[in-house]
Amino acid sequence: MPPNAPGSGAGPAPLLYVHPRGHLNDLVVPAGALSALNAAAGPKLGRYAFEVTDEELRAARVVAMDLHWALGLTGLEPLLARVRAVNPAARVVVGGITASHYPEELLSELGVDHVVQGDAEVAFPALVAALLDGREPGDLPNVWSRGRRPRLERIDAAGFDEVDPLTAGWFPTLALLRDWPAAAFPMSATLPVARGCALRCPACHGSHAAVSGEGVHTLSPEGFVRQLERARALGLRSLRLILGKVPSGRLSSLLAAAAGRGPFEFPLGLGLYLCTPPSSTDLSALQAAFAGRVTVSVVPPAEHVPRPPAAALAREEAAWREVAAAVARSDRLQLDVWAGGSPGAAAARAALGAHGPRVTVSLAAVWNLTRPDAVRRPTLPELREALGPVWTFYAGRLLSPALEPILAPFRLLDELPEDPAAAPAAPRPLAGWQALLRAHWQAHRVAALPGLAFLAVPARLGDGGAPARRFGETRLHGALRASALDGARLRLDAAVALAPRLDHDAVRLRGELRLGPGDDAVALLARPPPGAE
């Protein structure tokens, strides 16, 4: 598409999609948001909250946002405020799994204009068309408006075959970034081969029939191949497939169809979220269908909800042991088993046996973070309290090497080898922060340091003093009590507390620091935890 063609994402557009900040990786955009926007006709533009401009907000007549992961709530609210301040006439539409749990609250408490619940493709195009035409949308399935509670309608099988969660030319930055490798929560394009799940595992976002309507849709073998061909035509270098616990027969037909048209090559790898054990024939088809590295990720069947009957569980565990053995013999396959906790991880390791480095069992505890699911529905204030401090994990790791010993075991919260809360006790200067970190983790499965704050301290390096980067190597409390460090002098009497402000595009630490004539550096020091001396 030429750079300035309608819908190319080259400039402001009447339909603007903005992905809120606040996630564990803000660059990951949900597949459902892409398929909904791709279903809408006309020029559109996609932006991350950290890059959207006021000019683009002012030009938009419809601003769409996703609230898929509950973590996005902390960025959605300031983003809404920014839209209202810059362009109060714009109509704001929010969709996603978490939004589908809270449509009434989003309308009444946050001031959203419309909430799309469940399958967005059913009515999002008609909703956008009406709003761009200046018409009220009326009663549309799956669309909440003030005073209107919609009927829920599922997309049909033929419609699901035609959704497009892969095309992103109208979202320029995403199109550039989604093939970048990442250690955790990669930005890879995602293809939902199945939507919904017959299971109700609390840790899985596939279990949301209560807010989307009953039934599970799976791509037809022909539709699956068309999507893979689309991915190839787009030049995607990586791809994730969401299959869940599809019936064994459907899994076999999907892989056989792909093998017949393959091999499809994704140089950075292909991932499958799959809880149905593939047969030996399926594994052969999988390797014929896809060139390069293929990773299968599974939740142990013992953790499925409802738990399989004893005989069925034994069969599934035996089938996964066969898969693990086959993976160990392969030079391209990888099996990642995601357990919900340490007992589950130990049981999975025992069930699978030792199969070498190509088979890993790790904690996927982050998927159990406080959020709405098939059995729980926290209030919005509870979500804010649980998820609001997530920025402190990243700020602590970036700005305070002194906090590194207690934060490091949590890594990026994806595929943890052991429970990070079981790490050895920290020395006294860090013990208070470690206690807060463990408490928040145990309550919400979010690594955060509620109350984390920083001081900006004027410093004088002096003749031959240490480089400024050495300031980050101070001890947490020792630095506050010291007046000299590595030959530099810290003017603690002039220290200024940096107050965090959660804006729509970033978390900012703000404070007014007055530098003296001899000050030639600024040290950032983490303050003691709340309640500490």
Side-chain angles (χ1 to χ4, degrees), residues 199 243-246 273-277 297-301 304 316 320:
L199 301 179
L243 293 108
K245 200 157 188 177
V246 297
Y273 297 150
L274 175 66
C275 290
T276 302
S297 302
V298 58
V299 173
H304 293 175
E316 287 199 31
W320 281 112

Side-chain angles (χ1 to χ4, degrees), residues 15-19 37 62-66 91-94 124:
L15 172 57
L16 174 66
Y17 164 69
V18 186
H19 177 57
L37 269 290
V62 177
V63 180
M65 308 174 191
D66 66 272
R91 303 295 284 269
V92 176
V93 181
V94 179
F124 183 74

Side-chain angles (χ1 to χ4, degrees), residues 254-304:
L254 290 167
L255 294 178
R261 298 290 286 273
F264 296 92
E265 184 171 4
F266 301 99
L268 297 180
L270 177 88
L272 294 86
Y273 297 150
L274 175 66
C275 290
T276 302
S279 67
S280 59
T281 301
D282 294 336
L283 290 176
S284 297
L286 184 62
Q287 294 180 87
F290 302 103
R293 178 172 54 87
V294 177
T295 301
V296 177
S297 302
V298 58
V299 173
E303 296 186 13
H304 293 175

Side-chain angles (χ1 to χ4, degrees), residues 185-526:
F185 309 112
M187 296 80 74
S188 307
T190 300
L191 173 61
V193 182
R195 180 178 290 181
C197 185
L199 301 179
R200 293 292 175 267
C201 306
C204 181
H205 259 331
S207 304
H208 62 281
V211 294
S212 64
E214 296 294 335
V216 179
H217 283 308
T218 308
L219 292 175
S220 69
E222 298 78 13
F224 181 46
V225 169
R226 285 198 299 273
Q227 294 283 21
L228 293 175
E229 290 174 339
R230 172 182 283 150
R232 180 160 56 189
L234 289 169
L236 297 179
R237 295 175 55 77
S238 60
L239 185 65
R240 290 179 294 186
L241 307 179
I242 309 295
L243 293 108
K245 200 157 188 177
V246 297
S248 297
R250 176 51 66 94
L251 175 63
S252 297
S253 63
L254 290 167
L255 294 178
R261 298 290 286 273
F264 296 92
E265 184 171 4
F266 301 99
L268 297 180
L270 177 88
L272 294 86
Y273 297 150
L274 175 66
C275 290
T276 302
S279 67
S280 59
T281 301
D282 294 336
L283 290 176
S284 297
L286 184 62
Q287 294 180 87
F290 302 103
R293 178 172 54 87
V294 177
T295 301
V296 177
S297 302
V298 58
V299 173
E303 296 186 13
H304 293 175
V305 178
R307 184 184 175 94
L313 177 59
R315 287 194 300 271
E316 287 199 31
E317 289 183 334
W320 281 112
R321 281 195 295 273
E322 293 179 6
V323 171
V327 167
R329 295 190 299 268
S330 169
D331 61 352
R332 294 198 293 116
L333 296 180
Q334 175 81 28
L335 176 63
D336 291 344
V337 182
W338 291 350
S342 295
R349 291 186 183 105
L352 289 174
H355 287 290
R358 305 194 73 83
V359 179
T360 63
V361 177
S362 55
L363 302 185
V366 68
W367 303 117
N368 288 308
L369 60 78
T370 295
R371 61 171 173 82
D373 55 38
V375 296
R376 300 172 297 180
R377 189 181 182 274
T379 64
L380 291 185
E382 289 171 339
L383 287 180
R384 291 188 193 99
E385 180 181 1
L387 307 176
V390 71
W391 68 271
T392 61
F393 176 82
Y394 299 97
R397 297 204 73 175
L398 286 170
L399 301 179
S400 178
L403 294 172
E404 181 68 12
I406 63 170
L407 293 172
F410 292 84
R411 294 167 52 180
L412 283 173
L413 312 180
D414 193 21
E415 301 181 10
L416 297 166
E418 301 293 344
D419 187 349
R428 187 174 180 275
L430 290 169
W433 277 124
Q434 188 181 52
L436 284 175
L437 178 64
R438 285 175 168 172
H440 203 81
W441 170 259
Q442 290 164 355
H444 304 297
R445 282 299 182 262
V446 174
L449 298 170
L452 178 66
F454 290 89
L455 293 176
V457 184
R460 297 173 182 176
L461 297 179
D463 293 338
R469 63 182 176 84
R470 297 283 292 174
F471 290 124
E473 300 175 17
T474 66
R475 288 186 177 275
L476 183 69
H477 292 106
L480 298 179
R481 293 195 296 267
S483 60
L485 173 68
D486 289 342
R489 298 189 60 81
L490 305 180
R491 294 203 301 117
L492 296 176
D493 58 326
V496 171
L498 299 178
R501 193 176 88 183
L502 280 64
D503 291 337
H504 74 285
D505 56 346
V507 177
R508 291 178 168 83
L509 303 178
R510 293 177 178 248
E512 185 174 341
L513 181 66
R514 296 185 181 277
L515 298 178
D519 297 332
D520 50 10
V522 176
L524 288 182
L525 304 176

